[in-house]
Structures are given as C-alpha cells and as structure tokens.
Amino acid sequence: MKSRPAPAPVRTIFGSIGCAWEGLSYALRSQRNLRIHMAAAVTAVVAAVALEFTPLELALVVLTACVVILAEMLNTALEFALNLLEARDHPVVRAAKDLAAGGVLAAVAGSLLGAALLFGPRLWAMLWGLRG
C-alpha cells in the first residue's frame, strides 16, 4: 500500500503575502535589471505626479510599470527553474530563456511607447513654453 504525500500546510493570507514579499525582496537584492526597472518605475510615477497627470493617466503609468516588473520577475523565475536542468545548453532551454527575455523586452518597449505618448506632449509644451 502506497502512502499518500503529506498535505501542504495551510497558509493564511498573511502567510501568502509574506512569501510574496520574500520573493520580491530576494529579486530586488539579487537582480540588477529588476532594480533598474524599479528605479524607472518610481521615477515615472514621481514625474507623472509632478506633471499633474489625471488619475487615469497616472493609473496607466503605474499599471505599465507593474507589467514590466512582473515580466522581469517571471523571466527570472523561469531562468532559475530552467537552471536546475542538467542540459543547460539544450536548445529548448536556451529558446525558453530567450522567449522569456523577449517578453521583458516587449513589455519595456510598450512602456517606453506609452511613456512617449503620455509624457511627450507635456514635456514638449514645457520645452517650448506652451501650455499643455
């Protein structure tokens, strides 16, 4: 007769949040690119507040920044998981890592385009002394 695996411990919502916080903290300590994305996100939000973005515009800036941070963290998690494989140089492992990195690049490119559309007109008006 086979024994059943022990059930996973039941976590409270606070326990789950604690685990998530540990993951974010670890990523910030260990991943240079995530620190760069986080600094860019904070800068963008501060600039949006300073430029008196509407609540909807500010929400778009925050959401876009969160998508980039999410993409970077998922990319890191996938790389860590794939590094456990014996065949690190396997073409499928390489392709999976490149696809995840491409996802981060797409998120960053989209955020830069969004930033140009949101910040551009205001900064252009400030540069030329016009009202935006």
Side-chain angles (χ1 to χ4, degrees), residues 7-108:
V10 177
R11 283 198 186 117
T12 66
I13 186 71
F14 299 110
S16 296
I17 291 170
C19 290
W21 183 254
E22 284 300 317
L24 180 59
S25 298
Y26 176 78
L28 284 169
R29 285 190 313 272
S30 67
Q31 301 300 307
R32 176 184 56 96
N33 286 348
L34 184 62
R35 290 191 299 272
I36 292 168
H37 294 312
M38 194 67 78
V42 169
T43 302
V45 170
V46 168
V49 170
L51 291 170
E52 299 178 354
F53 275 26
T54 67
L56 179 59
E57 291 169 327
L58 184 57
L60 287 172
V61 171
V62 170
L63 181 61
T64 302
C66 288
V67 167
V68 171
I69 291 165
L70 170 68
E72 184 63 43
M73 290 186 71
L74 290 176
N75 177 50
T76 299
L78 180 68
E79 284 188 3
F80 281 5
L82 290 175
N83 284 342
L84 291 174
L85 297 175
E86 295 277 335
R88 291 182 188 201
D89 294 329
H90 193 282
V92 173
V93 171
R94 174 83 279 153
K97 287 182 172 186
D98 290 347
L99 284 164
V104 175
L105 182 61
V108 169

